[in-house]
Amino acid sequence: MPLPTVILPGYLAGAIDYREMQQTLIDLGIPAVTVPLVKRDWLPTLGGRSVLPILDKLDRTVQEIRQTYNTEKINLIGHSAGGWISRIYLGAKAYDIHGRVSDRVYSWQAHQFVSTLITLGTPQTSYERWTLKNLNFVNLTYPGAFYPEVKYVCIAGKSIFGVRRVGSWLAYSSYQLTGGRGDTWGDGITPIEAAHLEGAENLTYENVSHSPRSRGKWYGSAEIVQQWATYLN
């Protein structure tokens, strides 16, 4: 039986946006649940603040699914910011860059029970000042495909080339903030280069956009899920 899989939504997204992704995995015979987030759960993280509220909900969901299926290992899917937050979750070093308060967990060491981490359109780098503190922690503490016992699969979309004109300006600006260069290919939010990690299985899917509200296909469209689900061994 395939390992159960947990889906972590992207920034400001709720579980409702991942219903098709989750159901497609279930239809493929892969038990799947989405971390039960709603948009307001992200509000305490705005402005580059700590993502502890999201990590706490992620850990509760992971432990519940491990108990439900009586399994040591699970697979983890992180869309957009959910990908780098998942990399924090895997780690053994305390995530305390925003200061500590009592009775909180700051290190989850989930590399022990995550078999495969798939990131979808995740900005693994950023020059944007609000996200720089968190991403610097991730990339300096856990560079690349850090844990050899975890299979890292990083998927980028190639649907929009960033140029300074109407219809592509958002992509250009987002690519520049994320990867340092606007005139490149990406999924409309994350440039291809920024979505990949050294040492990971790095893939690029043609005509795939970033958001569940994008026109056309995105990472959670059924035909795209069927492609990356083959890595969930």
Side-chain angles (χ1 to χ4, degrees), residues 16-17 22 26 53 55 65 67 75 83 109 112 117 119 122 140 142 165 177 183-184 207 214 220 223:
I16 193 170
D17 297 312
Q22 177 179 306
I26 292 170
L55 286 158
I65 198 172
Q67 184 175 29
N75 291 321
Q109 304 187 52
Q112 302 172 87
L117 169 64
T119 65
T122 292
L140 293 174
Y142 312 113
R165 69 179 181 211
L177 280 172
D183 57 340
T184 188
N207 302 314
S214 302
E223 62 187 286

Side-chain angles (χ1 to χ4, degrees), residues 23-162:
Q23 189 58 52
T24 302
L25 291 172
I26 292 170
D27 291 344
L28 292 170
I30 300 170
V33 298
T34 304
V35 179
L37 295 172
V38 294
K39 188 173 183 178
R40 65 176 175 271
D41 291 324
W42 293 93
L43 297 181
T45 75
L46 293 177
R49 287 179 286 181
S50 173
V51 293
L52 273 176
I54 307 304
L55 286 158
D56 287 344
K57 285 183 174 287
L58 169 60
D59 186 56
R60 285 198 294 272
T61 305
V62 167
Q63 301 313 327
E64 287 171 3
I65 198 172
R66 289 179 69 210
Q67 184 175 29
T68 298
Y69 289 93
N70 191 26
T71 180
E72 179 183 355
K73 297 276 190 176
I74 59 102
N75 291 321
L76 186 55
I77 310 297
H79 172 237
S80 195
W84 61 258
I85 293 172
S86 295
R87 291 169 62 200
I88 296 176
Y89 182 59
L90 295 181
K93 185 173 180 178
Y95 170 65
D96 57 0
I97 56 173
H98 299 276
R100 291 200 188 203
V101 295
S102 59
D103 301 320
R104 295 295 297 267
V105 174
Y106 288 87
S107 174
W108 296 265
Q109 304 187 52
H111 63 92
Q112 302 172 87
F113 44 82
V114 172
S115 177
T116 298
L117 169 64
I118 295 182
T119 65
L120 305 170
T122 292
Q124 313 284 5
T125 62
S126 179
Y127 295 89
E128 205 276 324
R129 66 190 183 99
W130 299 117
T131 58
L132 202 55
K133 189 172 186 178
N134 280 317
L135 272 168
N136 279 348
F137 171 82
V138 177
N139 289 319
L140 293 174
T141 311
Y142 312 113
F146 187 78
Y147 286 104
E149 65 269 37
V150 177
K151 180 168 68 175
Y152 292 74
V153 181
C154 299
I155 300 173
K158 183 181 179 183
S159 59
I160 299 175
F161 188 84

Side-chain angles (χ1 to χ4, degrees), residues 160-191:
I160 299 175
F161 188 84
V163 292
R164 292 179 173 179
R165 69 179 181 211
V166 176
S168 298
W169 180 255
L170 173 61
Y172 182 94
S173 300
S174 183
Y175 297 166
Q176 192 170 47
L177 280 172
T178 303
R181 176 183 170 187
D183 57 340
T184 188
W185 281 98
D187 61 14
I189 298 294
T190 305

